[in-house]
Amino acid sequence: MCSSDLSAHPAPKSKATMLSTLAASALGLNIGATPAPSSSRAAVSMDLGRPLRVAVVGGGPSGACAAEIFAKAPNIDCTLFERKMDNCKPCGGAIPLCMVDEFELPPEIVDRRVRKMKMISPSGREVDVGRTLKENEYIGMTRREVLDAYLRDRAVELGAKPVTGLVQKVEFEDANGPYTIKYSEYKPGEKKGTPSEAEFDIIVGADGANSRTAKAIDAGEYNFAIAFQERIKIPDEKMKYYEDLAEMYVGDDVSPDFYAWVFPKYDHVGVGTGTVVNRPAISQYQAAIRERCADRLGDNPKVMKVEAHPIPEHPRPRRVIGRVALVGDAAGYVTKCSGEGIYFAAKSGRMAAEEIVALTAGGTRLPTEQEIKDTYIKKYDRAYGPTYLVLDVLQKVFYTNNGAREAFVDMCDSEYVQRCTFDSYLYKKVVTPNPVEDVKLLFNTIGSLIKGAATAKPDQVFSNPVESLKRI
């Protein structure tokens, strides 16, 4: 769980075209301080006799890609904070094909090249997806500890200063004054952190869904899902089955509002699920997906690692305050319906850094809050806002009951849907609609929804009033 050009990504022109953007995208599978005042619209000129000081908090794809851009820029010193350099973030690990070239990832970063997928409905109907893929097309499956380390090391090689430290507080008195980051630095061989602090002119918060940077600037709250995954070692003959295959399961038994998955990794599989509306029952849903895929995992599958993490449901209300900008999960850049976040994290980190670097005019001026919003935020929202909107609608349509989930799997049997969705997912490009096929798809989907509503088993009733009060 856990998408490539900067061109605008307009919403599909019809409901049918909107439906056709779904299936492949589904693979894509902290401490506060005083809120920052808004900075003025006037830029701050500089003659400090030193480079601009930029802090990137968080060393995942968003932070590493931002740090890489800052490290290349003239007259900018970049410090990259990461609390654990060998961190293994829980994540499905899927990346679109376009990310490999755009971010210059070497072949060894990709553990598995998925060219086939099974979509499995609540009733057990299986639909094979991937018939339209060309020979050189695939969805990349990665391990986050490998991907993140590569991106982070590249930024460091270019000049970013790495600090193994847990950022605890961001302090400031004036939006145009320096930001003081207080953190615990963990040096090699030491278990206890050393209290430290440093001043910076600009901060990029890339510290995940529980972002301390976001809390420090009062960026606002968002709803979030809980994702749960087990990394499981299975017999070689069973692993052969998953060599280039991923599975996606839907049904209220595995999640009342999301999907469950089996994703192949280097020498094991990741099996997991997620939910927003019934987070206390996540263990129950994980047990259900383990039961549904038990035969395919073989006898005595060995759980290597158990992982759980939050996934933001929508962008935060405020993503730029003063000269602090949020990117990746800290900003809320994970798509509904698919849970895709890796590409959008890397893209937002790179985009934010590129816009900030341009605004600094070679490190000679400080950008204002409004300038960062008018460049980074507006360009990102224009490029990808429609994608988030469409997938939000599709999640509401197809993940709400078993009848709709049966219709979803039925829809994925269409070669037109497969071609449109894979083109959209793999290359993050606008798919040219076919009006005739769109009309066919619309009527077929309506028919499937009616059929599913009449034949699917009723959803289980659950109640968690305390949890529901936390939703925004």
Side-chain angles (χ1 to χ4, degrees), residues 24 123 128 151 157 200 224 229 241 279 307 313 341 350 365 392 397-398 415:
S123 65
D128 292 323
L151 294 173
E157 288 171 5
F200 297 94
F224 64 92
Q229 177 176 265
Y241 170 78
R279 293 180 298 208
E307 308 166 323
E313 269 213 301
R350 174 177 284 186
R365 65 188 291 275
D392 185 9
V397 172
F398 289 108
E415 286 199 8

Side-chain angles (χ1 to χ4, degrees), residues 254-316:
V254 297
S255 177
D257 57 335
F258 204 60
Y259 65 91
W261 64 89
V262 181
F263 286 169
K265 303 290 185 178
Y266 174 69
D267 60 354
H268 61 279
V269 293
V271 181
T273 185
T275 180
V276 175
V277 300
N278 199 18
R279 293 180 298 208
I282 189 67
S283 297
Q284 168 190 326
Y285 298 134
Q286 180 66 15
I289 178 57
R290 286 291 305 271
E291 182 178 350
R292 285 182 66 173
C293 68
D295 290 344
R296 286 169 173 155
L297 299 185
D299 297 330
N300 300 317
K302 294 180 173 57
V303 176
M304 304 163 55
K305 190 176 181 64
V306 178
E307 308 166 323
H309 66 111
I311 300 177
E313 269 213 301
H314 53 80
R316 288 189 187 271

Side-chain angles (χ1 to χ4, degrees), residues 73-247:
N75 206 36
I76 292 178
D77 285 343
C78 176
T79 301
L80 176 61
F81 291 92
E82 170 57 46
R83 63 182 176 85
K84 191 178 180 183
M85 291 296 180
D86 59 351
N87 185 42
C88 177
K89 181 183 176 181
C91 183
I95 61 172
L97 179 61
C98 65
M99 185 174 176
V100 176
D101 290 336
E102 183 179 356
F103 290 87
E104 299 177 320
L105 301 179
E108 59 268 22
I109 293 297
V110 179
D111 286 339
R112 300 279 177 174
R113 288 161 176 78
V114 168
R115 296 180 171 89
K116 297 179 291 184
M117 182 175 179
K118 283 191 181 293
M119 316 288 288
I120 304 170
S121 77
S123 65
R125 183 193 176 196
E126 298 182 6
V127 168
D128 292 323
V129 177
R131 301 190 298 269
T132 63
L133 287 177
K134 300 181 180 65
E135 185 176 348
N136 63 340
E137 292 180 326
Y138 62 86
I139 295 167
M141 291 294 170
T142 65
R143 286 167 291 164
R144 286 293 301 275
E145 62 269 30
V146 176
L147 173 65
D148 293 13
Y150 174 79
L151 294 173
R152 194 164 50 239
D153 290 347
R154 185 165 68 182
V156 171
E157 288 171 5
L158 289 167
K161 175 189 174 183
V163 173
T164 303
L166 177 63
V167 171
Q168 297 171 319
K169 188 176 290 188
V170 178
E171 294 183 341
F172 41 83
E173 294 181 1
D174 185 286
N176 290 326
Y179 298 90
T180 299
I181 290 183
K182 296 188 175 182
Y183 61 98
S184 290
E185 183 173 5
Y186 293 88
K187 297 178 181 179
E190 295 183 1
K191 294 184 178 181
K192 186 177 180 180
T194 302
S196 306
E197 63 180 64
E199 286 189 346
F200 297 94
D201 303 301
I202 298 168
I203 297 175
V204 172
D207 43 345
N210 291 323
S211 172
R212 297 185 175 193
T213 308
K215 291 179 180 179
I217 64 170
D218 191 25
E221 299 299 325
Y222 49 26
N223 294 322
F224 64 92
I226 288 295
F228 189 101
Q229 177 176 265
E230 294 171 302
R231 296 194 187 201
I232 302 176
K233 185 80 172 178
I234 60 177
D236 290 344
E237 66 272 16
K238 295 296 183 179
M239 197 67 212
K240 185 70 176 176
Y241 170 78
Y242 288 108
E243 182 176 10
D244 61 352
L245 171 74
E247 292 180 325

